[in-house]
Amino acid sequence: MAGSSRKNIAFDNERYLAEQSEAILERMRQVGGKLYLEFGGKLLFDYHASRVLPGFDPNVKMRLLRHLASQTEIILCVHAGDIDRRKVRADFGITYDADTFKLIDDLRENELEVRAVVITRYEDQPAAETFVNKLQRRGITVYIHRPIPGYPADVSRVVSEDGYGKNPYIETDAPLVVVNAPGPNSGKMGTCLSQVYHEHQRGVRSGYAKFETFPIWNLPLRHPVNAAYEAATAELHDVNMIDPFHLEAHDERSVNYNRDVEAFPLLRRILEKITGESMYQSPTDMGVNRAGFAIINDAAAEEAGKREIVRRYFRYACDEVLGIEDGDAVRRIESLMEEFELKPEH
């Protein structure tokens, strides 16, 4: 497995910026009002993407936001439990509260302002309360979202004054509201849907979409780049799969992952109850993800995906030795290595 060279560049950033910008603008036109865009993954320093797609600019998503800056506001979500547990972002070795401040500073350096920070699933955790005070002392607007009983299965309660209605409405002005977070499971989707509920209560047309780079929906299911996503999320037990809703609705194979597929029926019911209809027939329909269209050298991407699987094997094996992981993640990646005939020696 040789290192990257110019001939092994797999990704065209300029093509990606053009395709991705247009996809977001087209979704805004389809919604015909305010679009709440759940922005998955890292806004800056997306080194996983740059490893599995050689040539991918780790900061290209920030370039995308700068391109759309005149129409965009940003909300950050932080799960109160992650603050209380002092969860650490693995690549930087800093806690989520520190990463939130870093992200706010990075956005400001790029002339992008954070409209608000939302503390999700807040239950008066002392560390989260301290974090709120720190944010407010820096002049950052903070909103508190408490857990909703029965969420998300009890749709009648969730979409009511006793559910989303109890969340404070986050004031925004731009037609595109990007909702991002320091890490996964931070409440981004719930915040988006809560806002769509409040907008419709106010008579404002609005909608929801999702922007997440991986898995890449128009690559084959067992492509090494998509398998590398499974390796990267081994501790979350994410598994790539063919989107069954998309196949049934459009007779088209597309790749998604188990959590989005499992959540889709409930999400569609919530959107239908809020707006009276759902413009989406599948989890893939919700996405505005164009990374696959910017791959210019599939062989280089395949090779890089395999390298990343081996890299993740060592990462999780070290965590197992340190007692951070229980070994299940290592077993899952070993299975991927067998599938692609990879060994630690690679």
Side-chain angles (χ1 to χ4, degrees):
M1 293 189 181
S4 286
S5 66
R6 289 299 303 174
K7 70 178 181 178
N8 288 330
I9 294 298
F11 195 81
D12 184 334
N13 290 289
E14 301 312 313
R15 182 185 298 179
Y16 176 63
L17 281 171
E19 290 249 2
Q20 192 61 63
S21 299
E22 179 52 35
I24 292 171
L25 292 170
E26 175 59 26
R27 187 60 54 87
M28 291 168 68
R29 289 191 286 268
Q30 290 171 356
V31 167
K34 183 174 287 192
L35 176 65
Y36 285 91
L37 182 61
E38 180 187 347
F39 213 91
K42 300 175 178 71
L43 278 178
L44 279 163
F45 313 115
D46 191 344
Y47 294 127
H48 173 83
S50 66
R51 286 192 298 266
V52 300
L53 298 171
F56 184 99
D57 176 0
N59 297 326
V60 72
K61 285 180 278 190
M62 187 64 78
R63 291 171 60 193
L64 171 70
L65 288 183
R66 285 206 308 267
H67 180 70
L68 300 170
S70 64
Q71 304 176 71
T72 304
E73 291 180 276
I74 299 169
I75 295 172
L76 299 180
C77 295
V78 186
H79 174 206
D82 288 341
I83 301 299
D84 199 49
R85 290 189 297 272
R86 295 191 60 76
K87 190 170 181 180
V88 171
R89 177 171 163 171
D91 49 358
F92 289 160
I94 60 176
T95 57
Y96 277 18
D97 52 348
D99 190 38
T100 302
F101 285 117
K102 182 182 186 307
L103 182 54
I104 291 168
D105 290 340
D106 289 335
L107 286 162
R108 285 175 173 171
E109 284 181 13
N110 284 274
E111 300 179 353
L112 292 159
E113 193 65 30
V114 173
R115 185 66 185 258
V117 173
V118 184
I119 310 301
T120 63
R121 286 171 280 174
Y122 181 76
E123 296 181 275
D124 301 302
Q125 296 94 332
E129 187 174 352
T130 300
F131 179 52
V132 169
N133 293 334
K134 287 180 181 177
L135 288 165
Q136 290 175 334
R137 280 198 296 271
R138 288 187 55 174
I140 297 162
T141 303
V142 181
Y143 292 84
I144 299 296
H145 284 185
R146 293 184 177 274
I148 298 173
Y151 185 87
D154 189 352
V155 174
S156 295
R157 180 167 188 169
V158 170
V159 186
S160 75
E161 284 301 308
D162 289 328
Y164 289 143
K166 284 194 171 179
N167 290 337
Y169 172 62
I170 303 165
E171 298 283 349
T172 58
D173 300 312
L176 174 64
V177 181
V178 168
V179 181
N180 188 239
N185 299 319
S186 294
K188 298 185 297 292
M189 185 183 76
T191 298
C192 288
L193 296 176
S194 177
Q195 285 294 105
V196 173
Y197 169 83
H198 282 286
E199 298 288 6
H200 278 265
Q201 293 295 107
R202 287 164 167 74
V204 177
R205 188 171 178 83
S206 64
Y208 162 80
K210 185 169 185 176
F211 173 30
E212 194 142 24
T213 309
F214 301 105
I216 296 178
W217 65 271
N218 58 330
L219 286 182
L221 176 63
R222 301 317 299 164
H223 193 287
V225 168
N226 281 339
Y229 168 78
E230 285 190 7
T233 57
E235 82 278 12
L236 299 176
H237 293 190
D238 281 353
V239 177
N240 296 333
M241 59 193 298
I242 297 298
D243 180 346
F245 301 99
H246 201 76
L247 186 62
E248 181 179 354
H250 306 291
D251 195 26
E252 179 183 46
R253 287 169 63 90
S254 65
V255 178
N256 216 292
Y257 68 106
N258 55 311
R259 282 188 290 140
D260 267 12
V261 169
E262 290 162 7
F264 179 71
L266 267 176
L267 174 56
R268 181 163 58 182
R269 283 175 57 204
I270 289 171
L271 284 170
E272 287 172 348
K273 189 163 180 62
I274 292 172
T275 66
E277 61 180 357
S278 173
M279 62 190 292
Y280 303 131
Q281 300 302 310
S282 72
T284 302
D285 284 345
M286 293 190 304
V288 286
N289 311 311
R290 305 294 291 180
F293 296 93
I295 295 174
I296 55 175
N297 184 338
D298 188 68
E302 285 196 359
E303 186 72 4
K306 291 175 182 179
R307 282 200 300 271
E308 180 66 5
I309 293 169
V310 177
R311 178 186 174 278
R312 293 288 179 171
Y313 164 78
F314 282 105
R315 154 79 194 283
Y316 283 114
C318 287
D319 285 349
E320 182 182 10
V321 170
L322 293 170
I324 299 171
E325 291 290 340
D326 61 7
D328 184 54
V330 177
R331 306 293 90 77
R332 293 169 65 82
I333 295 180
E334 285 177 337
S335 176
L336 288 172
M337 290 172 69
E338 288 178 15
E339 178 182 347
F340 291 100
E341 300 181 349
L342 300 170
K343 297 181 183 299
E345 290 76 15
H346 283 119

